Amino acid sequence: MSGRGTTTATRAEYCVLACAEAWRGAGEVLASPMGTVPTIGARLARLTFSPDLLLSDGEALLIEDVPAIGTAPRVVEGWLPYRQHLALVATGRRHVMMGASQLDRYGNQNISCIGDWERPKRQLLGVRGAPVNTLNNPTSYWVPKHSARVFVERVDMVCGVGYDRAAAAGPAATRYHRIADVVTDLGVFDFETPDRTMRLRSLHPGVTVDQVTRATGFELTVPDEVPYTREPTAEELRLIREEIDPKGLRDREVPA
């Protein structure tokens, strides 16, 4: 395992950076972050290594500038009505970062209910656009509190489609299906394994492999050498703290 080095970055700021890295090299696609930390990450990516990334105000406007979280844009680039948003989804020109109430080893996601569908213990958001998202454009996930309640052996209901179910459905499902990253408060994960199951890619500084495996409800692929998540540069930290999130909203999702 690589050394940590000296840093003043908080855990939330490592999470922001890890989310931003999901859009590295994305080109001119629409970033659709869901959650405070992913939103900060998308804006950081736009200001640094992914200048062609498209950002929206979360409703129907494409924004040209990169305002602070909670601040209205100064420059509007275009109008993005719902029908056009769906066209971007269907043609793969969007990379969404969704949340997950449950995720399994193949990346199947549940945001609909906990318990049996006929008599659920808890009603959640509903399926929403998760199936279309996962089958038509790159999808990543953000989990602010990594636990065995989220990372489960089998999800109670499939909303976002994982690698096993996409493969079972055939070429029509696998053609554009890609789950890029899973970012949590403990580390970064992907599915770059022969059987397309979840792998630990990096640990956030201060986190151990044992801590991650104990908080995961299935057997996780863990390489012999697990690096730490890349440290934010001084300029990236300045952008996060002064330009994008001066009110420190990131710390509400990932407390220090």
Side-chain angles (χ1 to χ4, degrees):
M1 188 177 297
S2 62
R4 171 178 177 177
T6 302
T7 180
T8 59
T10 65
R11 179 70 61 81
E13 288 162 346
Y14 274 100
C15 292
V16 166
L17 181 69
C19 289
E21 288 285 355
W23 287 287
R24 181 182 283 275
E28 193 174 354
V29 303
L30 177 66
S32 290
M34 300 181 185
T36 300
V37 165
T39 298
I40 300 168
R43 296 186 184 193
L44 178 64
R46 166 74 173 269
L47 288 172
T48 53
F49 44 72
S50 294
D52 295 328
L53 197 64
L54 300 179
L55 300 178
S56 80
D57 66 348
E59 294 185 10
L61 297 177
L62 289 173
I63 59 177
E64 173 65 27
D65 61 331
V66 183
I69 297 295
T71 303
R74 296 181 296 275
V75 183
V76 174
E77 186 173 40
W79 183 45
L80 188 66
Y82 194 62
R83 63 181 180 274
Q84 185 60 35
H85 197 125
L86 291 178
L88 290 175
V89 173
T91 54
R93 292 177 291 167
R94 182 178 77 148
H95 185 156
V96 61
M97 183 171 283
M98 295 193 290
S101 300
Q102 292 179 328
L103 272 174
D104 68 18
R105 69 179 73 228
Y106 292 99
N108 293 294
Q109 171 238 35
N110 175 25
I111 52 173
S112 185
C113 66
I114 301 298
D116 184 74
W117 169 254
E118 298 294 332
R119 194 179 180 87
K121 298 175 182 177
R122 184 174 299 175
Q123 177 66 48
L124 304 175
L125 289 172
V127 175
R128 314 282 290 196
V132 174
N133 289 345
T134 49
L135 293 181
N136 288 278
N137 56 222
T139 301
S140 293
Y141 292 108
W142 160 241
V143 178
K145 189 173 182 180
H146 191 128
S147 76
R149 295 179 64 181
V150 177
F151 291 90
V152 295
E153 186 66 42
R154 182 182 178 87
V155 298
D156 292 336
M157 180 178 177
V158 175
C159 300
V161 180
Y163 278 102
D164 59 338
R165 288 178 176 268
T174 58
R175 184 177 181 184
Y176 299 114
H177 178 265
R178 182 169 78 88
I179 305 175
D181 298 328
V182 177
V183 181
T184 81
D185 62 328
L186 299 184
V188 182
F189 306 81
D190 61 26
F191 298 87
E192 299 301 318
T193 57
D195 58 354
R196 289 297 198 180
T197 55
M198 193 177 294
R199 176 186 74 157
L200 174 61
R201 193 169 77 208
S202 72
L203 295 165
H204 300 326
V207 179
T208 66
V209 169
D210 183 62
Q211 186 179 351
V212 171
T213 55
R214 282 188 288 108
T216 304
F218 53 80
E219 187 175 351
L220 187 68
T221 298
V222 179
D224 294 336
E225 295 290 329
V226 182
Y228 284 111
T229 303
R230 177 174 74 81
E231 184 176 328
T233 66
E235 176 60 11
E236 288 168 337
L237 286 177
R238 187 195 69 78
L239 289 170
I240 294 170
R241 296 171 179 177
E242 299 179 17
E243 302 290 335
I244 307 172
D245 185 29
K247 294 182 180 179
L249 299 180
R250 59 195 178 277
D251 295 319
R252 297 183 185 180
E253 274 197 333
V254 185

